């Protein structure tokens, strides 16, 4: 776990600063014009009209929304200057005031970054580079050590305890597995051009148990159909083999497993991660190929790439394009991967979870848009990975939604599957420092790899890129109605709280805000409006504001804005909202189909607001 410097002048100033979120409420201020360049780092760009403008700015029809490319940086609500009917939410009557904030109001790293303590080992933090040399020269030399063949550690393919049975003409013999692995990898590395047939033959040599089970049809088809400009696979495969064969040199010490119920972290260099992923490609990791409930690693995600190589599909083509681009980049001599990446499993005990009914915080600031996306407009914020409890989901299979896309654009995330056990209800995984190598367009069946991405974001004192990702897994509801009970809602609140809660020793002014969206609302059948409220409640509890991306869903953007405006105007606390959700669940159980949450809240809260207003006669002097 990273730590900040409590003795720094920056920290002292932060501790003395008056935190705007203290006192359990957030001031919701109007937005003003914002230069797009301030948001995206592009000088000389025109100002963009944000969610709310002054009367002067609206005169002369000057408040027309300006588009900023396909992924507008601060997309307006599209309702500026409209007349709004409070009862129906429609355009009519007097203008409705919006409490949503602008994107520029939200905090990001490195602007809100607190200087870190020098990199150091701890009881719960394992580091795989020589820390002393890193401090002195910033060099990333591997930390010496030995592999450990133990249930609490990754069983490495070069461990002397790892054997395979070789079949001969006279008898069967057992040999150290790495002897065969290194032999096959060295043969591949010596080839000027390697074919898929060479890869298939090598992998099956040290995985004889799966010789008749594993198919390489998709990999064959992929290389045959590759565009001419991308047809570098035969030359990059030998480089990948050479990288994989150097595993004992890159990571000589044992890698601890991030097991359930434990908070601990691992820091690896980017080149160490590349070496591990090259071994995953060549399927060298032992004991990781069976999904049988009695298998040793049944509670861990798969890590070997064999599942990507069989059964051709258009999805697999795009996945392989992204992954081969990553390997092409990291094996290029001109590429200098000089950074670190930290993987931190965090577990919060049940007794440390909030009592949601008694929470007095009001909702945080909210920026919401149907344009843009988490990984671009949310740069510098805590980016939410809509995770599977098996980290990475179907990234090495057929899955291709938010989490899988994130892992393909940032392949270093895939290595977390090697050592991260299935997440529990009170756990999450933080990844700090991963690099984005690719761009993309589309989603699921329309997903396409869109070419290389240049990642120019700065690094922190530990040479980690200023990218923070948190993996939190939503509940999977087979029937949508299952989520409308307070047990399920409380579980989701606790999960979001675990993911959003910052380190205790960092002042809130130096904690980036949250970039998220419709968490668990695709294949997991979550209600987008309910899940949005749950995330806002958890964010309020940890004093973080939210940027919410509806991914081109304009209707959801409008409904969430109306719902948020209503709750903020009523000064609704987290505890009160928790109570309201309990009432909503009770009503929903009595109906044949779920009641729309935003409509129910409006019908519930607006009559109360009218009753609290003084009669019109009392307002006339």
């Amino acid at each position: 776990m990273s730590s900040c410097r409590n003795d720094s002048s920056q920290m002292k100033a932060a501790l003395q600063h008056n935190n705007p979120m203290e006192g359990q409420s957030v001031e919701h201020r109007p937005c003003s014009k914002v230069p797009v360049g301030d948001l995206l780092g592009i000088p000389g760009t025109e100002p963009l009209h944000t969610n709310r403008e002054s009367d002067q700015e609206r005169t002369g029809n000057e408040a027309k929304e300006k588009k900023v490319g396909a992924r507008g940086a601060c997309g307006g609500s599209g309702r500026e200057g409209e007349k709004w009917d409070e009862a129906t939410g429609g355009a009519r009557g007097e203008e409705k005031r919006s409490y949503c904030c602008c994107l520029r109001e939200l905090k990001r790293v490195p602007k809100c970054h607190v200087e870190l303590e020098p990199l150091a080992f701890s009881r719960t933090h394992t580091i795989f580079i020589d820390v002393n040399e890193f401090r002195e020269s910033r060099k990333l030399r591997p930390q010496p050590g030995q592999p450990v063949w133990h249930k609490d550690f990754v069983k490495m393919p070069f461990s002397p305890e790892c054997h395979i049975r070789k079949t001969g003409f006279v008898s069967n013999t057992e040999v150290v597995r790495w002897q065969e692995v290194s032999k096959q990898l060295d043969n591949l590395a010596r080839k000027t051009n390697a074919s898929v047939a060479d890869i298939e033959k090598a992998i099956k040599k040290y995985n004889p148990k799966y010789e008749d089970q594993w198919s390489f049809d998709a990999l064959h088809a992929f290389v045959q159909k590759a565009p001419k400009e991308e047809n570098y696979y035969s030359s990059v495969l030998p480089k990948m083999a050479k990288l994989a064969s150097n595993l004992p040199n890159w990571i000589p010490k044992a890698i601890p497993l991030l097991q359930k119920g434990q908070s601990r972290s691992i820091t690896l260099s980017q080149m160490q991660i590349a070496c591990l992923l090259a071994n995953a490609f060549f399927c060298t990791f032992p004991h990781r190929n069976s999904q049988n409930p009695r298998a040793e690693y049944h509670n861990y995600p798969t890590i070997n790439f064999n599942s990507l190589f069989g059964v051709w599909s258009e999805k697999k083509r795009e996945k392989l394009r992204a992954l081969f681009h990553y390997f092409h980049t990291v094996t290029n001599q001109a590429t200098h991967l000089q950074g670190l990446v930290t993987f931190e499993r965090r577990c919060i005990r049940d007794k440390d979870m909030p009592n949601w009914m008694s929470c007095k915080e009001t909702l945080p600031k909210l920026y919401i848009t149907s344009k843009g996306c988490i990984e671009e407009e949310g740069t510098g914020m805590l980016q939410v990975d809509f995770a599977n409890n098996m980290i990475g989901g179907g990234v090495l299979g057929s899955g291709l939604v938010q989490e899988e896309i994130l892992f393909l654009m940032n392949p270093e995330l895939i290595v977390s599957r090697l050592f991260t056990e299935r997440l529990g209800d009170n756990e999450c995984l933080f990844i700090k420092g991963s690099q984005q190598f690719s761009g993309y367009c589309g989603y699921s069946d329309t997903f396409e790899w869109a070419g290389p991405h240049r990642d120019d974001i700065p690094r922190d004192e530990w040479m980690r890129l200023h990218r923070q990702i948190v993996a939190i897994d939503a509940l999977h509801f087979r029937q949508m109605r299952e989520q409308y009970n307070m047990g399920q809602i409380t579980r989701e609140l606790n999960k979001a709280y675990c993911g959003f809660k910052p380190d205790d020793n960092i002042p809130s002014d130096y904690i980036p805000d949250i970039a998220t969206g419709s968490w668990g609302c695709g294949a997991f059948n979550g209600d987008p409006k309910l899940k949005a409220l749950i995330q806002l409640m958890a964010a309020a509890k940890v004093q973080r504001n939210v940027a919410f991306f509806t991914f081109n869903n304009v209707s959801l953007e409008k409904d969430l804005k109306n719902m948020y405006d209503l709750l903020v105007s009523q000064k609704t606390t987290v505890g009160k909202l928790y109570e309201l959700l309990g009432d909503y669940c009770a009503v929903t159980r009595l109906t044949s189909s779920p009641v729309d949450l935003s409509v129910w809240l409006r019908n519930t809260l607006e009559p109360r607001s009218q009753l609290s207003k003084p009669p019109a006669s009392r307002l006339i002097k």
Side-chain angles (χ1 to χ4, degrees):
M1 182 184 299
S2 61
S3 59
C4 60
R5 297 190 59 163
N6 293 319
D7 60 344
S8 68
S9 58
Q10 182 187 20
M11 176 60 73
K12 292 177 181 177
L15 292 171
Q16 295 170 359
H17 185 74
N18 183 22
N19 178 10
M21 294 195 72
E22 289 180 355
Q24 304 172 339
S25 65
V26 177
E27 183 180 359
H28 298 83
R29 301 176 181 176
C31 288
S32 58
K33 281 189 178 181
V34 187
V36 178
D38 288 352
L39 301 175
L40 299 182
I42 304 172
T45 47
E46 291 184 82
L48 175 72
H49 288 285
T50 50
N51 290 359
R52 296 210 310 282
E53 302 166 346
S54 68
D55 292 337
Q56 183 179 0
E57 288 170 329
R58 283 194 292 268
T59 59
N61 196 29
E62 293 174 355
K64 292 182 178 178
E65 181 180 354
K66 296 182 180 179
K67 295 181 181 179
V68 191
R71 301 181 185 274
C74 188
S77 66
R79 296 202 304 268
E80 290 85 347
E82 282 189 4
K83 298 300 181 180
W84 203 258
D85 187 287
E86 293 285 353
T88 65
R92 202 183 59 172
E94 65 179 34
E95 181 181 328
K96 180 181 179 182
R97 178 188 178 190
S98 175
Y99 289 93
C100 290
C101 73
C102 304
L103 189 60
R104 69 176 177 86
E105 295 185 50
L106 303 184
K107 300 194 299 290
R108 306 167 184 262
V109 290
K111 287 186 177 179
C112 67
H113 173 66
V114 172
E115 184 181 355
L116 299 175
E117 295 280 3
L119 182 65
F121 294 95
S122 74
R123 182 179 58 85
T124 59
H125 187 187
T126 305
I127 303 170
F128 286 86
I129 62 163
D130 187 314
V131 171
N132 292 328
E133 187 159 350
F134 176 77
R135 290 180 181 178
E136 293 173 3
S137 64
R138 312 301 280 177
K139 290 184 179 179
L140 304 180
R141 190 183 302 278
Q143 175 72 17
Q146 296 292 328
V148 176
W149 194 259
H150 188 274
K151 64 180 180 64
D152 295 335
F153 294 84
V154 174
K155 291 186 173 177
M156 299 295 274
F158 59 86
S159 175
E161 289 87 353
C162 185
H163 296 84
I164 58 171
R165 184 175 295 276
K166 296 193 70 173
T167 303
F169 289 106
V170 179
S171 63
N172 296 337
T173 58
E174 278 197 348
V175 298
V176 175
R177 189 169 185 266
W178 188 249
Q179 292 179 0
E180 186 65 37
V181 172
S182 59
K183 174 184 174 181
Q184 296 300 325
L185 292 177
D186 289 343
N187 288 340
L188 289 172
R190 284 193 293 267
K191 291 182 178 290
T192 305
N193 293 295
S195 68
V196 175
D198 295 327
I199 304 302
E200 179 178 357
K201 180 181 177 181
I203 290 175
K204 287 183 176 180
K205 279 286 187 180
Y206 47 82
N207 289 291
K209 180 179 179 181
Y210 300 98
E211 184 173 2
D212 298 327
Q213 299 179 34
W214 287 357
S215 167
F216 290 75
D217 293 346
L219 191 59
H220 280 283
F222 170 73
V223 172
Q224 291 170 0
K225 298 179 181 181
K228 186 177 181 180
E229 60 273 15
E230 295 178 29
N231 198 5
Y232 48 72
Y233 308 115
S234 60
S235 61
V236 77
L237 285 167
K239 297 178 184 178
M240 292 167 58
K242 183 177 180 180
L243 176 61
S245 68
N246 280 326
L247 182 62
N249 299 321
W250 277 113
I251 311 178
K253 68 181 292 184
I255 302 176
L257 296 171
L258 300 183
Q259 297 172 313
K260 62 183 179 180
Q262 300 178 15
S263 294
R264 63 180 307 154
S265 52
I266 290 171
T267 294
L268 294 154
S269 75
Q270 289 184 273
M271 279 307 302
Q272 288 173 323
I273 292 172
C275 180
L276 289 168
L277 290 178
N279 276 272
F281 179 91
F282 289 107
C283 306
T284 71
F285 289 106
H287 296 205
R288 299 303 292 265
N289 299 315
S290 175
Q291 295 297 299
N292 188 301
R294 293 187 295 274
E296 180 179 3
Y297 287 93
H298 75 276
N299 216 31
Y300 288 78
T302 58
I303 184 61
N304 291 326
F305 279 27
N306 58 284
S307 53
L308 274 177
F309 297 154
V311 190
W312 167 258
S313 69
E314 296 298 317
K315 287 183 177 180
K316 284 191 176 178
R317 178 185 65 185
E318 299 305 313
K319 287 186 177 187
L320 288 168
R321 290 177 76 191
L323 292 170
F324 269 110
H325 167 67
Y326 165 76
F327 286 120
H328 182 57
T329 302
V330 300
T331 58
N332 189 332
Q333 290 184 351
T335 302
H336 300 285
L337 295 180
Q338 297 297 322
L340 300 177
V341 183
T342 298
F343 303 84
E344 178 190 349
R345 187 187 188 109
R346 186 174 297 178
C347 177
I348 298 181
R349 297 171 298 181
D350 290 343
K351 68 176 185 178
D352 295 325
M353 291 294 183
N355 179 348
W356 295 103
M357 184 71 79
S358 63
C359 291
K360 303 300 182 184
E361 294 83 1
T362 54
L363 296 184
K365 289 181 180 179
L366 171 67
Y367 168 78
I368 184 167
T369 181
S370 56
K371 301 175 182 178
C373 58
I374 292 172
E375 63 269 22
E376 291 188 17
E377 283 70 30
T379 298
M381 299 183 197
L382 176 65
Q383 300 178 356
V384 178
D385 164 20
F386 307 162
N388 191 294
N389 58 14
M390 289 284 207
I391 195 73
V395 64
L396 299 183
S398 59
L400 198 45
V401 288
Q402 193 258 7
E403 180 174 36
E404 290 85 359
I405 292 172
L406 179 64
F407 276 52
L408 291 169
M409 299 304 98
N410 299 257
E412 290 165 339
L413 302 177
I414 296 174
V415 81
S416 63
R417 296 169 63 88
L418 178 64
F419 43 72
T420 307
E421 191 172 6
R422 183 193 302 267
L423 296 175
D425 287 345
N426 60 340
E427 297 177 316
C428 65
L429 182 71
F430 285 89
I431 305 103
K432 297 181 180 180
S434 67
Q435 181 170 337
Q436 182 177 345
F437 287 83
S438 296
Y440 77 97
C441 60
Y443 191 80
S444 189
D445 291 338
T446 64
F447 170 85
E448 290 184 22
W449 179 72
H453 173 86
R454 181 174 176 176
D455 206 338
D456 291 327
I457 63 176
R459 297 181 183 270
D460 65 17
E461 293 82 7
W462 293 3
M463 295 298 291
R464 301 178 304 188
L465 290 171
H466 275 292
R467 175 173 288 112
Q468 301 183 16
I469 294 170
V470 61
I472 51 174
D473 54 296
L475 289 171
H476 186 180
F477 303 110
R478 297 187 181 278
Q479 300 294 328
M480 197 169 182
R481 293 183 63 89
E482 295 173 12
Q483 65 195 292
Y484 301 116
N485 73 73
M486 294 311 292
Q488 309 285 44
I489 288 175
T490 302
R491 185 274 183 191
E492 301 292 68
L493 280 167
N494 289 342
K495 173 65 72 167
Y497 173 79
C498 180
F500 297 169
K501 187 178 185 298
D503 293 341
D504 293 333
N505 60 339
I506 302 179
S508 59
D509 274 3
Y510 289 86
I511 296 168
D513 288 323
I514 299 162
T516 187
S518 297
W519 170 52
C521 297
F524 281 15
N525 285 322
D527 180 332
K529 297 172 188 177
L530 177 58
K531 282 296 176 63
L533 282 189
I534 286 171
Q535 292 183 85
L536 282 172
M537 293 165 71
K541 184 61 184 175
V542 300
Q543 300 185 354
R544 297 177 97 155
N545 301 314
V546 175
F548 195 99
F549 300 88
T550 67
F551 305 109
N552 300 317
N553 191 332
V554 177
S555 176
L556 178 61
E557 175 195 7
K558 175 181 173 181
D559 287 345
L560 291 181
K561 280 182 176 177
N562 289 339
M563 190 164 60
Y564 176 77
D565 287 343
L566 174 64
L567 293 168
V568 172
S569 68
Q570 299 283 325
K571 297 182 173 58
T572 309
T573 65
V574 170
K576 180 60 178 178
L577 187 50
Y578 185 81
E579 181 183 346
L580 285 168
L581 290 178
D583 295 341
Y584 170 72
C585 290
V587 169
T588 300
R589 285 196 297 270
L590 300 176
T591 60
S592 57
S593 59
V595 180
D596 183 88
L597 178 56
S598 60
V599 173
W600 184 87
L601 283 171
R602 187 173 69 237
N603 292 338
T604 301
L605 290 177
E606 285 190 345
R608 298 180 186 180
S609 176
Q610 296 299 322
L611 288 173
S612 65
K613 291 181 180 179
S617 59
R618 291 176 55 189
L619 298 177
I620 301 174
K621 297 292 185 180

